[in-house]
């Protein structure tokens, strides 16, 4: 029997939800993950609506990043996605993709993630952690 693409891809997406639980402090419910992935780089960011504001979670977790690369590479070269929007609700998740012919992520544009956040959360402010000592904002 020929393997369906989701026989391989589905379990990886499920593992991403588990990694998001670690990123979000144990509970991934309500977490929205936005990922851009390009040639040799990835830029994941996670958020959760907390009422008055949306909280940002640092996605520097190596396990999550490795799973995102695994998910991207699970697709044939000509079908690899460049943007993933991963939404956790309770014990379920929904995933939407944009592909290279739809979005050129090699051109850096913070407007894409901002647009995704506005579409999802409206004008709610996003709360980011304070900058680490010695860091500076561009």
């Amino acid at each position: 029997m020929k393997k369906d693409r989701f026989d391989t891809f589905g379990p990886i997406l499920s593992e991403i939800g588990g990694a998001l639980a670690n990123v979000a402090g144990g509970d991934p419910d309500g977490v929205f993950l936005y990922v851009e992935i390009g040639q040799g780089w990835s830029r994941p960011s996670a958020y959760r609506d907390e009422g008055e504001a949306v909280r940002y979670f640092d996605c520097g977790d190596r396990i999550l990043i490795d799973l995102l690369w695994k998910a991207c590479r699970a697709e044939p070269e000509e079908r690899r996605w460049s943007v993933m929007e991963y939404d956790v609700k309770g014990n379920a998740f929904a995933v939407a993709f944009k592909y290279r012919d739809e979005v050129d992520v090699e051109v850096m544009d913070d407007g894409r993630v901002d647009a995704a956040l506005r579409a999802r959360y409206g004008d709610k402010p996003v709360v980011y952690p304070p900058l680490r000592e010695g860091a500076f904002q561009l």
Side-chain angles (χ1 to χ4, degrees):
M1 183 170 139
K2 183 180 174 188
K3 272 187 139 182
D4 183 87
R5 98 183 240 244
F6 289 105
D7 289 341
T8 302
F9 200 51
I12 298 167
L13 293 175
S14 184
E15 287 181 70
I16 288 170
L20 275 176
N22 290 334
V23 166
D27 181 11
D29 185 29
V31 172
F32 171 65
L33 173 68
Y34 180 89
V35 182
E36 291 187 357
I37 199 160
Q39 290 289 47
W41 61 271
S42 65
R43 187 168 78 154
S45 51
Y47 307 87
R48 179 171 25 215
D49 188 338
E50 295 190 345
E52 295 295 315
V54 175
R55 178 152 321 274
Y56 167 85
F57 293 96
D58 180 14
C59 289
D61 181 89
R62 184 82 256 164
I63 293 170
L64 175 61
I65 291 169
D66 289 347
L67 285 168
L68 294 170
W69 279 107
K70 188 175 179 181
C72 185
R73 291 183 182 134
E75 297 281 50
E77 178 72 31
E78 67 279 0
R79 294 206 47 195
R80 288 190 180 157
W81 50 271
S82 57
V83 174
M84 173 197 287
E85 294 184 7
Y86 188 107
D87 185 25
V88 181
K89 295 274 193 238
N91 293 326
F93 63 87
V95 182
F97 299 100
K98 292 182 183 165
Y99 296 88
R100 294 175 185 171
D101 61 341
E102 297 175 279
V103 179
D104 182 4
V105 295
E106 296 301 332
V107 174
M108 297 303 276
D109 181 359
D110 287 333
R112 289 188 298 262
V113 69
D114 291 341
L117 292 173
R118 270 193 315 279
R120 180 167 189 78
Y121 302 115
D123 290 331
K124 283 189 179 185
V126 178
V127 177
Y128 293 93
L131 292 175
R132 295 182 183 128
E133 188 173 325
F136 60 91
Q137 187 171 4
L138 298 175

